[in-house]
């Protein structure tokens, strides 16, 4: 494995990131909806940003929806 530019040993060398959108939902909170969305991504997650937050009227099954833009690490072969 190659070291990062800052010299940190053991870092994985990668070719960049693929950017995709993921939606997470929760009936508890916005934070829980973020965790739900990130839980669907897997170990290739490099970074994320919240692109949007939606909520429905009270009484809905899953009133919190969060749209996440995530960067997925592309590993060099």
């Amino acid at each position: 494995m190659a070291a990062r530019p800052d010299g940190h040993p053991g870092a994985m060398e990668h070719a960049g990131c693929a950017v995709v959108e993921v939606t997470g939902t929760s009936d508890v909170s916005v934070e829980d909806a973020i965790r739900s969305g990130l839980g669907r991504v897997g170990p290739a997650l490099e970074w994320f940003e919240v692109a949007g937050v939606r909520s429905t009227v009270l009484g809905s099954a899953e009133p919190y929806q969060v749209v996440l833009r995530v960067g997925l690490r592309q590993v060099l072969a």
Side-chain angles (χ1 to χ4, degrees), residues 16-35:
C17 291
V19 178
V20 297
E21 284 193 353
V22 176
T23 300
T25 59
S26 172
D27 59 349
V28 177
S29 67
V30 171
E31 292 86 359
D32 201 44
I34 292 171
R35 283 188 203 93

Side-chain angles (χ1 to χ4, degrees), residues 3-77:
R4 296 188 321 208
D6 63 4
H8 186 274
M12 187 179 297
E13 189 172 332
H14 60 88
C17 291
V19 178
V20 297
E21 284 193 353
V22 176
T23 300
T25 59
S26 172
D27 59 349
V28 177
S29 67
V30 171
E31 292 86 359
D32 201 44
I34 292 171
R35 283 188 203 93
S36 167
L38 293 177
R40 299 171 54 167
V41 175
L45 177 67
E46 184 75 16
W47 56 266
F48 77 95
E49 70 180 47
V50 176
V53 177
R54 293 187 290 262
S55 185
T56 59
V57 294
L58 295 177
S60 274
E62 294 178 325
Y64 301 101
Q65 294 181 347
V66 178
V67 177
L68 305 171
R69 285 181 33 143
V70 297
L72 302 175
R73 190 176 321 113
Q74 296 179 332
V75 179
L76 295 174

